[in-house]
Amino acid sequence: MFIYLDEIMSLNSTNELVKYIGSIYSNSQEAYIPVLINEGNYIKDLEADFYLKLVIKHKEIDINKTWLMNNLHYGLPIEKDIYNLNKSRLDDLYIHNLIVYRNYKNSNIYQINPLLTSSDYYQEEGVKNLKYVEGSYSEEYHQNNRESVLTYKKKGKDEYLNILKKMLSGFVIHEQQEWENVYELVVEFEYRNKNHAFMENDFVENPNGVLEFSNSEGYGLYVKGSIKVPLILESSKPRNIKVIDLGTHEIRNHNPNNYNGDTDEGFVIFSSDVISILEDYYFFYGIEMIEKENVENTLLVDYLGDKVVFWEAEYNKLSQKIKDKIDKYNITIDVSKDRFISKAMFTMQLEASWNWDKELEPDKKLGYDIKNLMFDKAININLNFIYPKNTNKLKEFINSIENLTNIKLEVFNTNASDVDTLLKIRDGRLEGSLESEKIVELYLKYCYAISKKLEGGI
């Protein structure tokens, strides 16, 4: 059972073959696309094989031959007279294999063409299983969104190497490009089959594709081609979530291209179940989520106890991995009856007030103060401002705050019922259990008291 050969061996014309290969890329909805395929065996057994690789070419270059670039080759130009290059050689300078060989311990292994790895987004991770050079890609905004650039699969003797589309998005032309990219994707393939029943050679050569075709008794069918294919980014597709539009308060579909909120803003709301996922990647301080891997990266968020609310533009900055985990918790609410934005967020974002921090809820205010006063120490002890689920979590939070600020519960009125309960929780002397609502109430009161102490100086 082959991934591609089974379908190819059923085709009746070269036009069908070109359309099928093109559809692998034009219909792609995944994060990765094939960059190298080596499938089948022409010498024995099946007596058929299919080989494919990807190259890039400058958009001004027409496809007028197969192949545009020798297999897995790259190197420096060595022309002596660089001012009198003919057009063919000049074209060659703007055609590159995406995958090339690297010599490693006397073996040839696959790697991304080094010309494409100079970006700050790319990071080499080492050699994987003596087969290929593993690298990771990170979008400019997120470090926790490091994604493997290549995925490799070996099935028997068949090899499948896929490349991350995002890795190509900075220089290959696509619909969502921010700058004017100049390179296009070209598939270069070879199909051989000694037993293919019939294939009509009806493909018409054009600037976007060229084929070589032969069919002989001794060698069977042979098709070699170079055809242009599109780069379709998966990020251009809306997520399966609902958004509450800022202007109309109506529920609408997701806009994946909203990154600044200038023209089409809305709110993406989740149940509080997402907190356990998000806290693995982010700190919650004030009305921000701060990326653990790179604290320079922050997102605005409203954590309202029973729900978590993102501006759509902020949600779109989340990594694909995190979106995949949290999208199932997306909810909608009746905006006429239920709040979906905190007063602090409203004041900061919609009223553009400098005093928005005065409207922060007690735990958000304490988080905001600690971020400004002692953030490095706080994250070193992994302090996060999330509603405690039980008294053990509240105990951990109190101990962390006391160690960080040196403000002990004993400085407050120990005769007060709530202070006494907090002392018992901290010291492990509480008998019985508390309702979750009471735990949150104590948590918020404690945050308020500590924040007031901080305002007076430690």
Side-chain angles (χ1 to χ4, degrees):
M1 194 73 178
F2 296 99
I3 297 176
Y4 302 100
L5 258 178
D6 286 340
E7 178 69 23
I8 291 173
M9 289 189 294
S10 70
L11 301 176
N12 297 315
S13 72
T14 54
N15 207 34
E16 288 181 1
L17 177 61
V18 168
K19 286 182 179 179
Y20 171 69
I21 294 173
S23 71
I24 296 171
Y25 298 89
S26 61
N27 295 337
S28 172
Q29 298 183 20
E30 306 300 324
Y32 294 83
I33 51 175
V35 67
L36 187 145
I37 300 168
N38 191 4
E39 195 175 52
N41 191 325
Y42 179 71
I43 304 300
K44 59 181 180 178
D45 300 329
L46 184 68
E47 294 188 324
D49 63 7
F50 174 63
Y51 182 84
L52 175 150
K53 68 184 179 78
L54 275 184
V55 305
I56 55 172
K57 71 169 186 69
H58 195 282
K59 64 180 182 179
E60 297 298 325
I61 299 173
D62 290 340
I63 300 174
N64 55 19
K65 65 178 180 178
T66 65
W67 289 352
L68 297 179
M69 177 61 63
N70 290 336
N71 195 34
L72 306 181
H73 168 80
Y74 79 102
L76 290 173
I78 57 173
E79 274 70 23
K80 295 179 181 179
D81 185 358
I82 64 174
Y83 299 106
N84 294 293
L85 295 177
N86 61 44
K87 183 179 185 305
S88 175
R89 183 57 189 133
L90 184 62
D91 287 353
D92 288 345
L93 299 179
Y94 292 91
I95 301 171
H96 306 284
N97 282 310
L98 288 183
I99 297 297
V100 298
Y101 276 140
R102 174 191 289 189
N103 184 276
Y104 180 78
K105 295 185 177 180
N106 296 319
S107 297
N108 283 329
I109 63 173
Y110 300 123
Q111 69 171 2
I112 296 285
N113 191 318
L115 292 173
L116 312 180
T117 62
S118 60
S119 164
D120 291 338
Y121 302 163
Y122 179 84
Q123 180 175 302
E124 187 169 307
E125 306 291 350
V127 174
K128 186 81 167 180
N129 299 327
L130 291 178
K131 292 295 183 181
Y132 69 100
V133 178
E134 187 174 38
S136 64
Y137 176 90
S138 175
E139 294 174 336
E140 181 178 6
Y141 200 81
H142 287 279
Q143 290 302 311
N144 66 44
N145 187 26
R146 297 213 72 86
E147 299 174 272
S148 295
V149 171
L150 297 176
T151 65
Y152 177 84
K153 178 182 178 182
K154 191 171 179 66
K155 184 179 177 183
K157 294 185 177 181
D158 301 332
E159 290 184 298
Y160 306 92
L161 194 64
N162 294 334
I163 189 169
L164 184 69
K165 291 178 182 176
K166 293 177 187 175
M167 182 70 187
L168 308 177
S169 63
F171 45 89
V172 174
I173 294 170
H174 59 92
E175 289 184 356
Q176 290 77 43
Q177 64 190 34
E178 186 175 354
W179 312 108
E180 187 178 356
N181 296 341
V182 299
Y183 281 95
E184 298 173 324
L185 281 183
V186 177
V187 164
E188 304 208 296
F189 67 92
E190 183 180 73
Y191 171 53
R192 301 183 297 176
N193 192 337
K194 292 182 181 180
N195 303 301
H196 197 110
F198 172 78
M199 179 171 281
E200 180 185 358
N201 184 19
D202 59 352
F203 178 78
V204 178
E205 182 177 319
N206 62 78
N208 295 323
V210 171
L211 294 187
E212 292 180 19
F213 178 91
S214 66
N215 198 345
S216 63
E217 184 175 344
Y219 297 97
L221 179 67
Y222 176 78
V223 185
K224 182 180 181 182
S226 296
I227 59 170
K228 189 174 79 171
V229 293
L231 175 64
I232 308 294
L233 296 185
E234 80 286 353
S235 60
S236 64
K237 299 182 183 300
R239 306 284 300 186
N240 187 27
I241 58 171
K242 295 301 180 183
V243 180
I244 296 177
D245 190 81
L246 173 63
T248 65
H249 288 184
E250 297 292 326
I251 296 172
R252 61 169 172 80
N253 292 328
H254 171 233
N255 174 11
N257 299 313
N258 177 14
Y259 283 95
N260 54 34
D262 285 347
T263 59
D264 183 26
E265 191 52 279
F267 301 94
V268 187
I269 305 178
F270 298 92
S271 68
S272 59
D273 299 280
V274 301
I275 288 295
S276 61
I277 299 170
L278 295 172
E279 67 178 324
D280 287 339
Y281 304 95
Y282 292 93
F283 295 110
F284 284 75
Y285 280 71
I287 50 177
E288 286 183 324
M289 292 194 326
I290 303 168
E291 187 181 316
K292 289 184 176 181
E293 293 295 322
N294 182 355
V295 295
E296 298 300 317
N297 292 339
T298 63
L299 296 174
L300 290 176
V301 65
D302 254 337
Y303 172 34
L304 304 176
D306 62 337
K307 65 180 74 70
V308 175
V309 184
F310 291 99
W311 297 92
E312 183 180 46
E314 299 293 277
Y315 165 83
N316 285 341
K317 295 175 186 176
L318 291 169
S319 72
Q320 191 84 8
K321 176 172 64 176
I322 293 176
K323 289 174 186 171
D324 289 343
K325 290 182 178 182
I326 69 173
D327 279 4
K328 63 182 178 181
Y329 299 110
N330 176 230
I331 60 175
T332 57
I333 62 173
D334 185 346
V335 297
S336 65
K337 298 179 181 178
D338 197 1
R339 71 171 182 153
F340 58 94
I341 183 172
S342 68
K343 192 170 183 181
M345 184 72 76
F346 182 91
T347 304
M348 179 176 70
Q349 290 296 101
L350 301 180
E351 292 184 343
S353 170
W354 290 100
N355 298 315
W356 60 269
D357 58 302
K358 306 299 182 186
E359 306 296 342
L360 288 167
E361 295 168 348
D363 58 328
K364 314 302 188 295
K365 182 65 168 65
L366 179 58
Y368 176 77
D369 291 340
I370 285 180
K371 179 176 181 288
N372 289 331
L373 293 170
M374 55 191 81
F375 181 60
D376 288 343
K377 291 181 179 179
I379 61 175
N380 281 339
I381 61 173
N382 205 32
L383 180 63
N384 225 339
F385 288 85
I386 295 169
Y387 285 8
K389 296 179 180 178
N390 51 52
T391 54
N392 284 333
K393 289 295 184 182
L394 181 54
K395 175 183 177 179
E396 292 175 7
F397 180 78
I398 294 170
N399 286 329
S400 295
I401 293 294
E402 288 191 344
N403 291 334
L404 182 68
T405 66
N406 204 31
I407 301 174
K408 305 297 183 181
L409 275 169
E410 285 78 3
V411 303
F412 301 105
N413 180 8
T414 56
N415 293 321
S417 174
D418 286 339
V419 176
D420 181 61
T421 302
L422 287 168
L423 282 165
K424 289 177 179 177
I425 290 172
R426 184 197 67 181
D427 299 337
R429 297 183 289 107
L430 183 70
E431 297 180 359
S433 59
L434 297 176
E435 297 290 332
S436 59
E437 290 81 2
K438 181 61 178 178
I439 294 172
V440 172
E441 178 188 332
L442 289 170
Y443 166 73
L444 293 174
K445 287 182 176 180
Y446 177 71
C447 289
Y448 177 83
I450 297 296
S451 185
K452 286 297 183 183
K453 283 290 185 181
L454 287 177
E455 287 179 1
I458 299 176

